[in-house]
Structure formats: structure tokens, C-alpha cells
Amino acid sequence: RQDNVVGSIFAATAPLGVTALANQHAGYALLGHPGELPLGELAAWIAAWGWAPALFVPTLLPLYFPDGTLPSPRWRPYVRVVLGVLAVLVLTAMIVPAPIDASAAVQNPLGLPLPAWAAPLLAVPALICIFGLTSISLVALVLRLRRAAGRERAQLAWLSLAALVAGVCAALSAALPPPWSEA
């Protein structure tokens, strides 16, 4: 439905598929068989930042689900802050000289020549803000769930369950050593 923002929020995860492909292509083109495949550096650049737009989902979906409207107009400034922080994070990921997920040997080819201390200084505050903003969005989801009734309440309950499962899986992934953390 074009009038429901929820679909657009989910569309922000579309770069994840391209990012997974770009990670593999960059590793193969730049490390495995250099010079055999074109666009290896472009793939490495996409792999360096393509994960970041997916953060629109945990920060904005709890606010707009299920009907595509905010719980109240008072949330509009908050949404502007979320969009601003996400834009900073995506732009930072595009220019920070960081390794891609597929291999630490492949760096972002468009990464600016920054001192070692500068890259975390750019990315870490934005990531911390995203975690805080996601927490606020989840509180909004719980408040909306408490006020909802009928079908909307059931929809919000399912989303809350999915958020809980995703949170537990993320915590387990962070707590477990590799290769178990990947599972």
C-alpha cells in the first residue's frame, strides 16, 4: 500500500542482499583472483556501508507499525532526529576506512585517509545514538501496544514478540565466541 510507510521502512533492508553479494564479489575480485573480475573496488565500497540502511527498521518500524502513522504528532521531531542520525551513520560508513565483513584484508576503497583514532570517533557516537533511539522506539511500541485493542493489538503483539526474539538472538550472538556467534 502506497499510503503506508511500513513498506518503505522494510525496503531499507534491500541493500542487505546487495551487500552480501558485494562482500563476496569484493573478496573474490580483490583477493582471490585479482584483475579477473571487474568492479571489485565498487563492490568493496558497497560492502562497507550497505548494512547501515537496515537500521531504519529497528528505529522507525516500532513507531509506524501497523498502520503507517505515528502514535501522535509529538513523535515527528523524534523521527527527524532518527533520520538525521541514520543519515550521518550511512555517510560515515561510506567514507571511513574500515574493513568489509567478508575479509579484514579488504578495506573501503573510498575511505578517507584518516588517522586511526578518527574513524571510531566518527562512527561510534552514531552507533551509540542508534542503540539509544532504538530503545526509545521500542518503548513507544510497548506504549502503543498497551493502548491498542483488537486487531491492532494482535499485530503489535506479534511485532513485539519478533523484536524480543531478535534482541535475544543479538545478545546471544554478542556473547558467544566465533563460529557460534555467526549462527
Side-chain angles (χ1 to χ4, degrees), residues 8 14 38 50 55 72 82 94 102 115 154 157:
S8 298
L55 294 175
S72 76
V82 168
M94 287 179 171

Side-chain angles (χ1 to χ4, degrees), residues 10-84:
F10 277 124
T13 63
L16 287 178
V18 175
T19 301
L21 177 64
N23 266 293
Q24 297 308 311
H25 181 79
Y28 187 84
L30 300 175
L31 296 177
H33 300 280
E36 286 185 24
L37 289 177
L39 306 174
E41 291 205 354
L42 175 63
W45 178 68
I46 292 170
W49 65 267
W51 56 271
L55 294 175
F56 280 87
V57 175
T59 53
L60 293 177
L61 184 65
L63 297 174
Y64 284 100
F65 190 82
D67 60 1
T69 61
L70 290 171
S72 76
R74 291 180 292 185
W75 285 95
R76 286 185 191 133
Y78 172 77
V79 169
R80 286 187 205 104
V81 169
V82 168
L83 293 174

